[in-house]
Amino acid sequence: MLYELTVPAYVNGLKALSAQLDKALAWGADKGVGEQQLLVARLAPDMFPLAAQVRFTCMQAVQPATRLGGTGAPDFAEDVADFAGLQAQIADALAWLDTVDRTAIDSDPNRPVSFDLPNGMAFDMTALTYVRDWAQPQFYFHLVAAYAILRHMGVPLGKADYVGYMMAYLRPGTAPTG
């Protein structure tokens, strides 16, 4: 159950983010907005810029699987200088998620999970509460922040760019026409 709540959702989100970055790069080239402008863009002065939001999204996709039993997770450099580097981080996260052992993640939803934050705060949870109350919100926070920064900069993204994977579940004959 924990695997199904995490890995496939993270794969969907990372693939959507990759497509959003492609769209942003093409839009920027057409509108004269450079990669550097997009990489350093942020929603508020005290928030991280796009490059960091993408890195954090990748980190939040691999951290839960690592804390729940996955091994060999990639590191994500802080000094990505272009969209190719962002796409490489996403590709590394996706490739690693493809190797995650479902049985290790699902072994026991009630097992203890503990983690410390850099500010000294420490948390003790079960695997299930960790996924529900920390891992999922953290992943989606950074994923949405990256999307929102791109929108804020003018990139023409819509909900279909965020949840395009839902088209796999569309009931035939129900899509709007025109």
Side-chain angles (χ1 to χ4, degrees):
M1 169 182 74
L2 296 178
Y3 178 93
E4 284 299 319
L5 292 173
T6 55
V7 174
Y10 300 156
V11 168
N12 286 340
L14 289 169
K15 287 180 177 179
L17 180 57
S18 176
Q20 292 164 27
L21 292 173
D22 284 343
K23 194 170 186 177
L25 192 58
W27 172 85
D30 185 52
K31 299 294 184 190
V33 179
E35 283 184 62
Q36 290 306 309
Q37 283 177 272
L38 293 168
L39 288 170
V40 301
R42 57 183 79 218
L43 293 175
D46 65 340
M47 290 184 74
F48 287 103
L50 177 65
Q53 297 296 350
V54 172
R55 179 170 52 90
F56 293 152
T57 302
C58 292
M59 290 168 52
Q60 295 301 330
V62 301
Q63 260 182 4
T66 300
R67 286 191 176 124
L68 296 174
T71 59
D75 289 322
F76 301 103
E78 291 184 33
D79 59 353
V80 171
D82 56 22
F83 273 50
L86 298 179
Q87 292 288 16
Q89 288 183 331
I90 293 170
D92 289 348
L94 287 168
W96 184 79
L97 287 169
D98 193 44
T99 70
V100 171
D101 178 12
R102 175 187 298 261
T103 58
I105 305 302
D106 282 342
S107 67
D108 178 8
N110 294 312
R111 70 186 178 276
V113 172
S114 298
F115 63 97
D116 302 333
L117 297 181
N119 66 6
M121 295 172 70
F123 295 89
D124 298 310
M125 313 168 91
T126 67
L128 178 61
T129 56
Y130 166 71
V131 166
R132 183 191 66 212
D133 298 339
W134 180 263
Q136 296 298 70
Q138 289 296 312
F139 175 78
Y140 287 110
F141 175 87
H142 295 292
L143 182 66
V144 169
Y147 173 90
I149 290 168
L150 294 173
R151 284 292 312 245
H152 176 71
M153 292 299 291
V155 179
L157 298 173
K159 190 173 274 190
D161 296 297
Y162 183 74
V163 292
Y165 55 85
M166 288 298 297
M167 296 309 288
Y169 308 106
L170 182 66
R171 185 178 306 138
T174 64
T177 56

